Amino acid sequence: MLANYLRSAIRNIAKERLYSAINIGGLAVGLMAAFLILLFVRFELSYDKEWANADRLYRMDTSFLTGPEPKARLRRLSGQLQAAMLSTFPEEIEAAARLRALEPTIRDGDKVTDELVQWADADLLKIFQFRVLKGDMKAAFGDKSSLAVSRTFAENHFGDADPLGRVLNLKVYNLDRDYRIVAVYEDLPRNSELDIPAVALMDEEAFAEPHWLLRNWGSTSVEQYVLLKSGASWSTIQAGMPGLLDKFVETRSGKGSSFLAMNGMKFSDYHAHFVTLDEMSVMAKMQILIAIAVVLVLVGAINFVNLATAQAIRRTREVALRKVLGAGRPQLIVQFLTESILITLIAAMLAVVLLEFSLPAFAEFLDAPLELSYDDGVFWASLIATVLVVGGLAGFYPAFAISGSRPGRILMANKSAESRGTIILRQVLVTFQFAVSVILIVSTIIIYGQTWFVTNMDPGYDRNNLLVVQGVDRGDMKDKRATLRDKVRKLSMVRAASMSSETPSDGNNSGGNFGPTPVRDEQINMGEIWIDDAFFDTYRIEMAAGRNFSGTNEADEFQDNTDENPVENRVMLNAFAAEQMGFASPDAAIGALVYNGTRPLRIVGVAKNARLQDINDPQRAEVYYFTRDRGYNLTVRFGGSPTEVVEAVRSVWMELAPFTPFVFTFVDDAVAEEFEEEVQMSRILTFFSGLAVLIASMGLYGLAAVSAERRTKEIGIRKVLGARVRDIVMMMVWQFSRPVIVANLIAWPVAFFTMSSWLEQYPNRIDSWLMLPACMAAGLAAFLIAWATVAGRAYLVARAKPINALRYE
Amino acid sequence: MLKMHNLSKIYRTDEVETIALNNVNIEINSGEFVAIMGPSGCGKSTLLNIIGMLDNPSEGDYLFFDENVARYSEAKLANIRKRHIGFIFQSFNLIDELTVAENIELALLYHDIAASERRDRVAAVMDKVGIAHRAKHMPSQLSGGQQQRVAVARAVVGNQSMILADEPTGNLDSAHGQEVMEMLQGLNEEGTTIVMVTHSPAHADYARRTINLFDGQVVTENLRAA
């Protein structure tokens, strides 16, 4: 019996080539996309689940509670927290380790590089399991001049040679030491938040200064990991945290817990769930992708249902004959389900083949090591489940609709056997397909638009032709940075150059508490930037009131001071800071006295607002201090070719500090990089919405073909009565335009609300009304696709001589 | 009105060549009622299709009002067709999804006629063929005779000067068949040219002239005594 069903199914698939191709092709593309998403989601959700004590392993984060900004959670925190926690919770904590990431200048003979190295506490080995390839991992934590390196690090430095015993000189801040390599470990898995190319024992003395490296409670210095004792409860620690902060954090006024908060999160949840502010978590993104996967499979399955029901008339004769020969309805249902599951199975196999071919490209595109392993039970189980569910769902309605017909009626009558319900169902499903397509297209347009808007909006300074030489305070350059700036200024293509403590989109956000009085409660958190007198000229930021710092006026220069020994320093503000401090206008602020804590500051000038922070952040209030040579970065305003400028500046650098690597970026590139994630997301969305549209239009083409076939007689009659080809094409196009119109009516509000809430996360965002043209563009695209698809098919039918349609009845 | 000179129609497939019409010479004048008779497969319907410009002849000339339309494109033929010719088929060829009135209106739809005028003309012609009370019904709700009356109404609503009927009574019982024949006769008396293919000698008797076809050739033409 099953053999008969299969034979009948296979013959049917072979006979109806166009429809089978559309069914199988559409489903295969949908399933391929779904499998791809499944692999990606599994990878993203597999982060840090494999550590031996994952159920007791926590990572800490911190929030600063000062200022008007919402509380952002930060990934790194003070190097002081660990000692405080160990002494406060000795009963709960089994092990704790900090990771201090730095980019030391590494010298190996003549070879000089800047690379990421972690300094960690010895308990790191109790918390994380390293696969040691050579040497002794414990020895790396035995003294302060041993280094363990990853396989890749070893290969990069020593190729095939044995790295054990080799010596590298590491230089960063006050640390300048030869390290001997004592162990090589396998690279950490890609699905880990840990990034440890090389690791050495934490060095409290060497990192005592600068203060913020480890010792400042208000800095974001280290990654903090805590392993609980088994049976201990994290809630005990979480509950004790405010008390701990009150006890250990030194403040000028108030309590530690009123300006700091420390939280822990299971490390196995960290990658999926941690968010700094209210941006989308990895988990939320995965949920969106899973929704898209389901939708893509649905869109493919809808083609199947639509074509199956539309073709049903042709099948009804076969059904009627089988019934006459004694088949019961259950047998017919089983037969049709067999056929749909068979088609889905073929589609699934094709999807796996497609996936195999395209996976390397996707892996690169999604930046994840995706691979299809055929011994993966989860993959096969989900594949089989998908085939059964999709095949069953797709075959269910056609099976019941066709098998329910009365044989006599079909064999006798030459009338259309289509029920009104079937036609409506098909309309609803096509509408759904197009609604989904339109929503995806609108989302894609909006994400692109937002990315374009923010990367192109006026940031208040001239973003083009700005080169940033990073880390002029490193190594040998530290004492020569003023010379570097002066020499760079003399280069012919350089218009201006300025040293400052922060540059746009560099991720640095120093801040302090400022206010019109020395009273702590009246002060708010503002940004602090140390600049030289060329800063505003270099960035082309205009003055709002007062004057710029003067390079010839020594009284403008910042002098170190303390709360005990306050000195009046001169400062500039940006317009927003002046407003926040309560001045009615920038002019009103000139000459006024304000305070950083208890230290007095005299305002000499107010600059116009510029977004010198990350472009995604809200406008920040900023206080500028004048210092001739304390900047960390050198910003160069140039004319002419960027590559020539880089080469010219590089040669000046190499002349001054040949053993300190030259690192640079362009401001417009750095700003664009902030949007990497959005760009990535919009590319993913573009790709999948393209697929959805493709599958939907394939289905529409099939439907147009079935409909044209079904209406052959009608078209013939109309032509006999004088209809032109154009009339027929118009009629068919209109027939298929109706579901697209309804789809737009449904899609627009859905897209509008979804994308409005997506845009909310950006302080600088495009106007909501811009979604209207986006909706219209997407709607128009849907129409054009539908029209092109249907018109092509309709033209073929309409062109035929009417007699061909009417001769055979 | 129309004149055919040495007209042939040959169907070619990969292997077989079928001569459906062979050197046919016919002349039909305005106001005539002509019946075409002959056994199955003799080329009656092919001839009717060529007269109705639903198909092109393979060879020969076809003059319609002195215009040789034998080589005209489908678009040009469609234009002449819709102005001059109405069709009635054996199987009625009504569109199942449209009501009686809509089916009739279809013949005016492609003729640039205002909606109100279309309505009036459809109403008038429905009265004439006696199906006004069925205007809102679907074809499937009508008897065969009623369906054919709708088809007749559709064929004449555009004031076509010629009606081509392909076995209009073939699917009808004798009573309904006669009804349709009387209707055609009435139209002919009002001046409409009628060309009808039929198997029934009785129905052929309604025509003034009978053309007998055999194997694609005109064998005899009989004039009925007036």
mmCIF file of all heavy atoms in Angstrom, chain A residues 400-425:
data_model
loop_
_atom_site.group_PDB
_atom_site.id
_atom_site.type_symbol
_atom_site.label_atom_id
_atom_site.label_comp_id
_atom_site.label_asym_id
_atom_site.label_seq_id
_atom_site.Cartn_x
_atom_site.Cartn_y
_atom_site.Cartn_z
ATOM 1 N N PHE A 400 -7.202 16.789 3.618
ATOM 2 C CA PHE A 400 -8.588 16.743 4.060
ATOM 3 C C PHE A 400 -9.531 17.330 3.020
ATOM 4 O O PHE A 400 -10.605 16.802 2.763
ATOM 5 C CB PHE A 400 -8.740 17.462 5.404
ATOM 6 C CG PHE A 400 -8.399 16.567 6.548
ATOM 7 C CD1 PHE A 400 -7.089 16.349 6.909
ATOM 8 C CD2 PHE A 400 -9.404 15.893 7.240
ATOM 9 C CE1 PHE A 400 -6.768 15.496 7.935
ATOM 10 C CE2 PHE A 400 -9.090 15.034 8.280
ATOM 11 C CZ PHE A 400 -7.762 14.832 8.623
ATOM 12 N N ALA A 401 -9.089 18.418 2.396
ATOM 13 C CA ALA A 401 -9.958 19.095 1.436
ATOM 14 C C ALA A 401 -10.220 18.199 0.227
ATOM 15 O O ALA A 401 -11.350 18.076 -0.230
ATOM 16 C CB ALA A 401 -9.317 20.407 0.986
ATOM 17 N N ILE A 402 -9.157 17.568 -0.269
ATOM 18 C CA ILE A 402 -9.328 16.789 -1.496
ATOM 19 C C ILE A 402 -10.024 15.463 -1.217
ATOM 20 O O ILE A 402 -10.892 15.029 -1.972
ATOM 21 C CB ILE A 402 -7.969 16.532 -2.174
ATOM 22 C CG1 ILE A 402 -7.298 17.865 -2.517
ATOM 23 C CG2 ILE A 402 -8.135 15.709 -3.443
ATOM 24 C CD1 ILE A 402 -5.883 17.728 -2.984
ATOM 25 N N SER A 403 -9.646 14.855 -0.090
ATOM 26 C CA SER A 403 -10.195 13.528 0.159
ATOM 27 C C SER A 403 -11.674 13.582 0.530
ATOM 28 O O SER A 403 -12.364 12.577 0.486
ATOM 29 C CB SER A 403 -9.415 12.847 1.288
ATOM 30 O OG SER A 403 -9.617 13.551 2.494
ATOM 31 N N GLY A 404 -12.145 14.775 0.878
ATOM 32 C CA GLY A 404 -13.529 14.876 1.344
ATOM 33 C C GLY A 404 -14.549 14.963 0.220
ATOM 34 O O GLY A 404 -15.752 14.892 0.452
ATOM 35 N N SER A 405 -14.092 15.094 -1.020
ATOM 36 C CA SER A 405 -15.040 15.333 -2.109
ATOM 37 C C SER A 405 -15.860 14.071 -2.428
ATOM 38 O O SER A 405 -15.430 12.948 -2.197
ATOM 39 C CB SER A 405 -14.281 15.793 -3.344
ATOM 40 O OG SER A 405 -13.262 14.870 -3.630
ATOM 41 N N ARG A 406 -17.029 14.282 -2.997
ATOM 42 C CA ARG A 406 -17.906 13.172 -3.393
ATOM 43 C C ARG A 406 -17.516 12.733 -4.798
ATOM 44 O O ARG A 406 -17.527 13.557 -5.717
ATOM 45 C CB ARG A 406 -19.368 13.627 -3.414
ATOM 46 C CG ARG A 406 -19.919 14.000 -2.066
ATOM 47 C CD ARG A 406 -20.625 12.814 -1.425
ATOM 48 N NE ARG A 406 -21.090 13.146 -0.098
ATOM 49 C CZ ARG A 406 -20.282 13.191 0.968
ATOM 50 N NH1 ARG A 406 -19.002 12.951 0.836
ATOM 51 N NH2 ARG A 406 -20.766 13.467 2.154
ATOM 52 N N PRO A 407 -17.233 11.461 -4.989
ATOM 53 C CA PRO A 407 -16.734 11.019 -6.289
ATOM 54 C C PRO A 407 -17.716 11.283 -7.418
ATOM 55 O O PRO A 407 -17.329 11.705 -8.501
ATOM 56 C CB PRO A 407 -16.505 9.521 -6.101
ATOM 57 C CG PRO A 407 -17.207 9.147 -4.850
ATOM 58 C CD PRO A 407 -17.296 10.372 -4.006
ATOM 59 N N GLY A 408 -18.997 11.064 -7.171
ATOM 60 C CA GLY A 408 -19.984 11.223 -8.227
ATOM 61 C C GLY A 408 -19.978 12.625 -8.797
ATOM 62 O O GLY A 408 -19.947 12.829 -9.997
ATOM 63 N N ARG A 409 -19.941 13.589 -7.872
ATOM 64 C CA ARG A 409 -20.001 14.970 -8.308
ATOM 65 C C ARG A 409 -18.824 15.307 -9.217
ATOM 66 O O ARG A 409 -18.940 16.024 -10.187
ATOM 67 C CB ARG A 409 -19.988 15.884 -7.086
ATOM 68 C CG ARG A 409 -21.204 16.783 -7.054
ATOM 69 C CD ARG A 409 -21.264 17.605 -5.815
ATOM 70 N NE ARG A 409 -20.028 18.335 -5.549
ATOM 71 C CZ ARG A 409 -19.758 18.867 -4.369
ATOM 72 N NH1 ARG A 409 -20.595 18.720 -3.379
ATOM 73 N NH2 ARG A 409 -18.657 19.534 -4.185
ATOM 74 N N ILE A 410 -17.660 14.778 -8.847
ATOM 75 C CA ILE A 410 -16.470 15.111 -9.611
ATOM 76 C C ILE A 410 -16.473 14.446 -10.973
ATOM 77 O O ILE A 410 -16.158 15.056 -11.984
ATOM 78 C CB ILE A 410 -15.212 14.694 -8.833
ATOM 79 C CG1 ILE A 410 -15.074 15.600 -7.614
ATOM 80 C CG2 ILE A 410 -13.982 14.806 -9.702
ATOM 81 C CD1 ILE A 410 -14.181 15.026 -6.582
ATOM 82 N N LEU A 411 -16.873 13.174 -11.004
ATOM 83 C CA LEU A 411 -16.814 12.458 -12.273
ATOM 84 C C LEU A 411 -17.874 12.961 -13.246
ATOM 85 O O LEU A 411 -17.694 12.913 -14.449
ATOM 86 C CB LEU A 411 -16.988 10.955 -12.034
ATOM 87 C CG LEU A 411 -15.789 10.314 -11.320
ATOM 88 C CD1 LEU A 411 -16.053 8.849 -11.029
ATOM 89 C CD2 LEU A 411 -14.512 10.462 -12.141
ATOM 90 N N MET A 412 -18.984 13.453 -12.725
ATOM 91 C CA MET A 412 -20.055 13.910 -13.587
ATOM 92 C C MET A 412 -19.844 15.346 -14.058
ATOM 93 O O MET A 412 -19.879 15.639 -15.247
ATOM 94 C CB MET A 412 -21.392 13.875 -12.832
ATOM 95 C CG MET A 412 -21.789 12.513 -12.358
ATOM 96 S SD MET A 412 -22.769 11.649 -13.565
ATOM 97 C CE MET A 412 -24.217 12.697 -13.630
ATOM 98 N N ALA A 413 -19.632 16.200 -13.088
ATOM 99 C CA ALA A 413 -19.703 17.618 -13.402
ATOM 100 C C ALA A 413 -18.397 18.110 -14.012
ATOM 101 O O ALA A 413 -17.341 17.549 -13.778
ATOM 102 C CB ALA A 413 -20.000 18.411 -12.134
ATOM 103 N N ASN A 414 -18.503 19.155 -14.804
ATOM 104 C CA ASN A 414 -17.271 19.765 -15.286
ATOM 105 C C ASN A 414 -17.060 21.093 -14.588
ATOM 106 O O ASN A 414 -16.398 21.965 -15.063
ATOM 107 C CB ASN A 414 -17.332 19.946 -16.811
ATOM 108 C CG ASN A 414 -18.452 20.889 -17.198
ATOM 109 O OD1 ASN A 414 -19.307 21.213 -16.368
ATOM 110 N ND2 ASN A 414 -18.430 21.335 -18.443
ATOM 111 N N LYS A 415 -17.700 21.199 -13.438
ATOM 112 C CA LYS A 415 -17.618 22.477 -12.734
ATOM 113 C C LYS A 415 -16.386 22.542 -11.841
ATOM 114 O O LYS A 415 -15.796 21.534 -11.514
ATOM 115 C CB LYS A 415 -18.860 22.670 -11.864
ATOM 116 C CG LYS A 415 -20.043 23.134 -12.654
ATOM 117 C CD LYS A 415 -21.225 23.260 -11.723
ATOM 118 C CE LYS A 415 -22.510 22.929 -12.444
ATOM 119 N NZ LYS A 415 -23.391 22.123 -11.643
ATOM 120 N N SER A 416 -16.071 23.746 -11.465
ATOM 121 C CA SER A 416 -14.959 23.957 -10.554
ATOM 122 C C SER A 416 -15.283 23.301 -9.218
ATOM 123 O O SER A 416 -16.334 23.520 -8.655
ATOM 124 C CB SER A 416 -14.759 25.454 -10.359
ATOM 125 O OG SER A 416 -14.227 25.695 -9.091
ATOM 126 N N ALA A 417 -14.356 22.492 -8.732
ATOM 127 C CA ALA A 417 -14.589 21.807 -7.465
ATOM 128 C C ALA A 417 -14.046 22.618 -6.292
ATOM 129 O O ALA A 417 -14.033 22.167 -5.173
ATOM 130 C CB ALA A 417 -13.939 20.438 -7.493
ATOM 131 N N GLU A 418 -13.563 23.811 -6.580
ATOM 132 C CA GLU A 418 -12.974 24.624 -5.524
ATOM 133 C C GLU A 418 -14.044 25.120 -4.579
ATOM 134 O O GLU A 418 -15.053 25.688 -5.018
ATOM 135 C CB GLU A 418 -12.303 25.847 -6.127
ATOM 136 C CG GLU A 418 -11.090 25.522 -6.910
ATOM 137 C CD GLU A 418 -9.862 26.086 -6.247
ATOM 138 O OE1 GLU A 418 -9.605 27.269 -6.428
ATOM 139 O OE2 GLU A 418 -9.186 25.335 -5.525
ATOM 140 N N SER A 419 -13.816 24.937 -3.297
ATOM 141 C CA SER A 419 -14.764 25.505 -2.360
ATOM 142 C C SER A 419 -14.315 26.923 -2.039
ATOM 143 O O SER A 419 -13.157 27.287 -2.218
ATOM 144 C CB SER A 419 -14.819 24.679 -1.084
ATOM 145 O OG SER A 419 -13.644 24.900 -0.346
ATOM 146 N N ARG A 420 -15.269 27.699 -1.590
ATOM 147 C CA ARG A 420 -14.968 29.089 -1.236
ATOM 148 C C ARG A 420 -13.891 29.138 -0.148
ATOM 149 O O ARG A 420 -12.994 29.970 -0.169
ATOM 150 C CB ARG A 420 -16.295 29.701 -0.751
ATOM 151 C CG ARG A 420 -16.301 31.137 -0.561
ATOM 152 C CD ARG A 420 -17.319 31.884 -1.433
ATOM 153 N NE ARG A 420 -16.862 33.268 -1.502
ATOM 154 C CZ ARG A 420 -16.195 33.755 -2.528
ATOM 155 N NH1 ARG A 420 -15.949 33.010 -3.568
ATOM 156 N NH2 ARG A 420 -15.780 35.008 -2.519
ATOM 157 N N GLY A 421 -13.978 28.185 0.793
ATOM 158 C CA GLY A 421 -13.025 28.147 1.899
ATOM 159 C C GLY A 421 -11.598 27.989 1.411
ATOM 160 O O GLY A 421 -10.672 28.648 1.892
ATOM 161 N N THR A 422 -11.412 27.115 0.433
ATOM 162 C CA THR A 422 -10.070 26.880 -0.090
ATOM 163 C C THR A 422 -9.500 28.151 -0.698
ATOM 164 O O THR A 422 -8.337 28.496 -0.488
ATOM 165 C CB THR A 422 -10.124 25.794 -1.180
ATOM 166 O OG1 THR A 422 -10.920 24.736 -0.703
ATOM 167 C CG2 THR A 422 -8.756 25.295 -1.511
ATOM 168 N N ILE A 423 -10.355 28.846 -1.455
ATOM 169 C CA ILE A 423 -9.880 30.063 -2.112
ATOM 170 C C ILE A 423 -9.504 31.107 -1.075
ATOM 171 O O ILE A 423 -8.455 31.746 -1.159
ATOM 172 C CB ILE A 423 -10.972 30.611 -3.064
ATOM 173 C CG1 ILE A 423 -11.216 29.568 -4.159
ATOM 174 C CG2 ILE A 423 -10.552 31.936 -3.656
ATOM 175 C CD1 ILE A 423 -12.422 29.848 -5.023
ATOM 176 N N ILE A 424 -10.354 31.237 -0.038
ATOM 177 C CA ILE A 424 -10.065 32.228 0.999
ATOM 178 C C ILE A 424 -8.779 31.868 1.737
ATOM 179 O O ILE A 424 -7.927 32.717 1.979
ATOM 180 C CB ILE A 424 -11.252 32.347 1.977
ATOM 181 C CG1 ILE A 424 -12.426 33.012 1.258
ATOM 182 C CG2 ILE A 424 -10.874 33.138 3.212
ATOM 183 C CD1 ILE A 424 -13.704 33.034 2.050
ATOM 184 N N LEU A 425 -8.634 30.576 2.050
ATOM 185 C CA LEU A 425 -7.428 30.145 2.760
ATOM 186 C C LEU A 425 -6.189 30.557 1.959
ATOM 187 O O LEU A 425 -5.213 31.073 2.503
ATOM 188 C CB LEU A 425 -7.436 28.625 2.961
ATOM 189 C CG LEU A 425 -6.144 28.082 3.562
ATOM 190 C CD1 LEU A 425 -6.104 28.308 5.067
ATOM 191 C CD2 LEU A 425 -5.964 26.605 3.264
#
